Amino acid sequence: MSQFWSPIVQTLTPYVPGEQPKLPGLIKLNTNENPYPPSPAVATALQAVPADTLRLYPDPDSSALKEALSTYHDVQPNQIFVGNGSDEVLAFVFMALLKHEAPLLFPDITYSFYPVYCKLFGIDYQEVPLTPAMEIDTADYVNQSCGGIIFPNPNAPTGIALSLAKIEELLIKQPNAVVAVDEAYIDFGGESALPLIHKYPNLLVIRTFSKSRSLAGLRVGFAVGHPKLIEALERVKNSFNSYPMDRMALAGAVASYGDEAYFQQTRKAIIDSREQMTQALEKLGFSVLPSSANFIFARHESYAASQLAAGLRERAIIVRHFNHPRINQYLRISIGNPDECKALIQTLTLLTSKH
Ligand SMILES: *Cc1c(COP(=O)(O)O)cnc(C)c1O
């Protein structure tokens, strides 16, 4: 009964993730999961975790994973924070680094978890409209004092990437604000801001294993930045949960980073499919935003997105449709494997040929 709820709970509007229906034969292109399995090295590593060790708490510092990440990304372990999926890492970022007097800035069209964290943590925020071309214009973020800036690069759900030069300009023009770059999709295109962390103590880069590493079910994410930013995240984490990373997650994540060839192969397969899908959709009369991610954001000239989404669903294909007025004519379609892409195009061909 809600009489027992804390006052804050009464005010929350929780994030609604893309649905996970369990229908046989369903083609699921709605949550940007990777269509390929994780590296076989991950399965081997998970099987090698002795069940007996699950009696014992895992390493509270996740040292082995920080070691693997720091070697791969050429940073020090104290420049890395790891957490239970990047959503948890982001929650700590909002709490530890983005809550200040002045409002936090993020795009009006972006990852819809950001305003949810703001309400949970009592953070004042201001949504900055994307340009008519649905791009982030960094000029809109510089001429005001702010409590921080966050955006995904490439942005979601548009898939459009922001150049490194623009990000650097932002870091220079807002030296007193943390600029958090959520790089959930960076392995599919765009330029990572990671090389800039050595130069700018106000830059924090957030990454996830859920998309390009095919490990959404393992829940692993991380942040990279100046040791002082990382220390803030560790302080919050150690005031919340000493062991967000379990033994299985640590073993699987380390193994994933050990198989570079597989990572490159699956990453490339998705990029190739994205380019093919873009062309096929354009032939069907869709306008497709230039995507650097593992999804496509597209609208049809003459068919309503909600209708197309419903038609696809009737034929066991689910894509994401957002009810936000600026983007309710778009569909966000995750890149599936070649068979799934083919089925999607065939079904859309059918749906857009009827009058
Ligand atoms: C998928 C996604 C995340 C969440 O990733 P998890 O690591 O699975 O929690 C964060 N940010 C953006 C922009 C995403 O699309």
Side-chain angles (χ1 to χ4, degrees), residues 85-87 90 111 114 152 156 182 184-185 208-211 219-221:
S86 66
D87 284 339
L90 286 167
Y111 188 35
Y114 298 162
D182 180 350
Y185 301 104
T208 177
F209 281 64
S210 296
K211 316 282 166 49
R219 310 307 303 133
V220 184

Side-chain angles (χ1 to χ4, degrees), residues 49-244:
V49 176
D52 179 58
T53 61
L54 299 181
R55 290 184 301 114
L56 306 169
Y57 283 109
D59 172 12
D61 295 321
S62 305
S63 310
L65 179 55
K66 285 184 186 171
E67 204 59 53
L69 291 170
S70 68
T71 304
Y72 187 95
H73 293 294
D74 199 18
V75 298
Q76 296 302 310
N78 70 353
Q79 293 173 296
I80 297 186
F81 177 80
V82 299
N84 188 252
S86 66
D87 284 339
E88 183 188 79
V89 175
L90 286 167
F92 293 163
V93 171
F94 275 73
M95 215 187 309
L97 299 167
L98 301 178
K99 181 173 179 169
H100 296 283
E101 196 92 331
L104 171 66
L105 306 180
F106 51 80
D108 62 339
I109 304 300
T110 195
Y111 188 35
S112 44
F113 224 133
Y114 298 162
V116 175
Y117 292 131
C118 286
K119 282 173 191 142
L120 177 61
F121 300 128
I123 300 169
D124 185 20
Y125 67 94
Q126 194 181 314
E127 294 180 338
V128 182
L130 296 180
T131 67
M134 304 295 261
E135 292 173 334
I136 292 172
D137 184 350
T138 50
D140 298 334
Y141 292 76
V142 295
N143 290 324
Q144 56 184 313
S145 78
C146 68
I149 296 169
I150 186 166
F151 53 84
N153 189 37
N155 194 14
T158 63
I160 298 177
L162 185 64
S163 76
L164 201 54
K166 288 288 182 189
I167 293 174
E168 183 158 19
E169 201 183 299
L170 198 54
L171 289 160
I172 293 168
K173 291 194 171 159
Q174 286 283 21
N176 298 318
V178 168
V179 177
V181 184
D182 180 350
E183 294 191 339
Y185 301 104
I186 197 74
D187 291 325
F188 303 109
E191 303 165 274
S192 174
L194 275 181
L196 297 181
I197 66 151
H198 304 287
K199 221 167 143 189
Y200 299 98
N202 57 330
L203 170 64
L204 190 75
V205 172
I206 299 104
R207 294 274 191 107
T208 177
F209 281 64
S210 296
K211 316 282 166 49
S212 60
R213 298 267 166 188
S214 306
L215 288 171
L218 202 64
R219 310 307 303 133
V220 184
F222 61 102
V224 189
H226 189 279
K228 271 289 164 199
L229 300 184
I230 301 305
E231 188 185 334
L233 298 174
E234 297 287 358
R235 289 175 70 113
V236 170
K237 174 243 168 195
N238 289 320
S239 307
F240 179 80
N241 179 1
S242 304
Y243 310 104

